[in-house]
CSV table of all heavy atoms in Angstrom, one decimal:
chain,number,residue,atom,x,y,z
A,89,GLY,N,-62.1,20.6,29.5
A,89,GLY,CA,-63.5,20.1,29.7
A,89,GLY,C,-64.2,20.0,28.4
A,89,GLY,O,-65.4,19.7,28.3
A,90,ALA,N,-63.5,20.3,27.3
A,90,ALA,CA,-64.2,20.3,25.9
A,90,ALA,C,-64.4,18.9,25.5
A,90,ALA,O,-63.7,18.0,26.0
A,90,ALA,CB,-63.4,21.0,24.9
A,91,ALA,N,-65.4,18.6,24.6
A,91,ALA,CA,-65.6,17.2,24.1
A,91,ALA,C,-64.8,17.0,22.9
A,91,ALA,O,-64.4,15.8,22.7
A,91,ALA,CB,-67.1,17.2,23.8
A,92,ARG,N,-64.4,17.9,22.1
A,92,ARG,CA,-63.7,17.8,20.9
A,92,ARG,C,-62.7,19.0,20.7
A,92,ARG,O,-62.8,20.0,21.4
A,92,ARG,CB,-64.6,17.6,19.7
A,92,ARG,CG,-65.6,16.5,19.9
A,92,ARG,CD,-66.7,16.5,18.8
A,92,ARG,NE,-66.2,15.8,17.6
A,92,ARG,CZ,-66.8,15.7,16.5
A,92,ARG,NH1,-68.0,16.4,16.4
A,92,ARG,NH2,-66.4,15.1,15.4
A,93,VAL,N,-61.9,18.9,19.6
A,93,VAL,CA,-61.1,20.0,19.3
A,93,VAL,C,-61.2,20.4,17.8
A,93,VAL,O,-61.5,19.4,17.0
A,93,VAL,CB,-59.6,19.8,19.6
A,93,VAL,CG1,-59.4,19.6,21.1
A,93,VAL,CG2,-59.0,18.5,18.9
A,94,ASN,N,-60.8,21.6,17.4
A,94,ASN,CA,-60.6,22.0,16.0
A,94,ASN,C,-59.1,22.0,15.7
A,94,ASN,O,-58.4,22.7,16.4
A,94,ASN,CB,-61.2,23.3,15.8
A,94,ASN,CG,-62.7,23.4,15.9
A,94,ASN,OD1,-63.4,22.7,15.1
A,94,ASN,ND2,-63.2,24.2,16.8
A,95,LEU,N,-58.6,21.1,14.8
A,95,LEU,CA,-57.2,21.1,14.5
A,95,LEU,C,-56.9,21.9,13.3
A,95,LEU,O,-57.6,21.9,12.3
A,95,LEU,CB,-56.8,19.6,14.2
A,95,LEU,CG,-57.0,18.6,15.3
A,95,LEU,CD1,-56.7,17.2,14.8
A,95,LEU,CD2,-56.2,19.0,16.5
A,96,ILE,N,-55.9,22.8,13.4
A,96,ILE,CA,-55.4,23.6,12.3
A,96,ILE,C,-53.9,23.2,12.2
A,96,ILE,O,-53.1,23.5,13.1
A,96,ILE,CB,-55.6,25.1,12.6
A,96,ILE,CG1,-57.1,25.4,12.8
A,96,ILE,CG2,-55.1,25.9,11.4
A,96,ILE,CD1,-57.4,26.9,13.1
A,97,GLY,N,-53.6,22.6,11.0
A,97,GLY,CA,-52.2,22.2,10.8
A,97,GLY,C,-51.6,22.9,9.7
A,97,GLY,O,-52.1,23.0,8.6
A,98,HIS,N,-50.3,23.4,9.9
A,98,HIS,CA,-49.5,24.0,8.8
A,98,HIS,C,-48.5,23.0,8.2
A,98,HIS,O,-47.9,22.3,9.0
A,98,HIS,CB,-48.8,25.2,9.4
A,98,HIS,CG,-47.8,25.8,8.4
A,98,HIS,ND1,-46.5,25.9,8.7
A,98,HIS,CD2,-48.0,26.3,7.1
A,98,HIS,CE1,-45.8,26.4,7.6
A,98,HIS,NE2,-46.7,26.7,6.7
A,99,SER,N,-48.5,22.9,6.9
A,99,SER,CA,-47.5,22.1,6.3
A,99,SER,C,-47.7,20.6,6.7
A,99,SER,O,-48.8,20.1,6.7
A,99,SER,CB,-46.1,22.6,6.5
A,99,SER,OG,-45.2,22.0,5.6
A,100,GLN,N,-46.6,19.9,7.2
A,100,GLN,CA,-46.8,18.5,7.6
A,100,GLN,C,-47.8,18.4,8.8
A,100,GLN,O,-48.3,17.4,9.1
A,100,GLN,CB,-45.4,17.9,8.1
A,100,GLN,CG,-45.5,16.4,8.3
A,100,GLN,CD,-44.2,15.8,8.8
A,100,GLN,OE1,-43.3,16.5,9.1
A,100,GLN,NE2,-44.1,14.5,8.8
A,101,GLY,N,-48.0,19.5,9.5
A,101,GLY,CA,-49.0,19.6,10.6
A,101,GLY,C,-50.4,19.2,10.1
A,101,GLY,O,-51.2,18.6,10.8
A,102,ALA,N,-50.6,19.5,8.8
A,102,ALA,CA,-51.9,19.1,8.2
A,102,ALA,C,-52.0,17.6,8.1
A,102,ALA,O,-53.1,17.0,8.5
A,102,ALA,CB,-52.1,19.7,6.8
Side-chain angles (χ1 to χ4, degrees):
R92 305 170 82 186
V93 296
N94 291 300
L95 299 177
I96 302 178
H98 172 237
S99 195
Q100 191 185 9

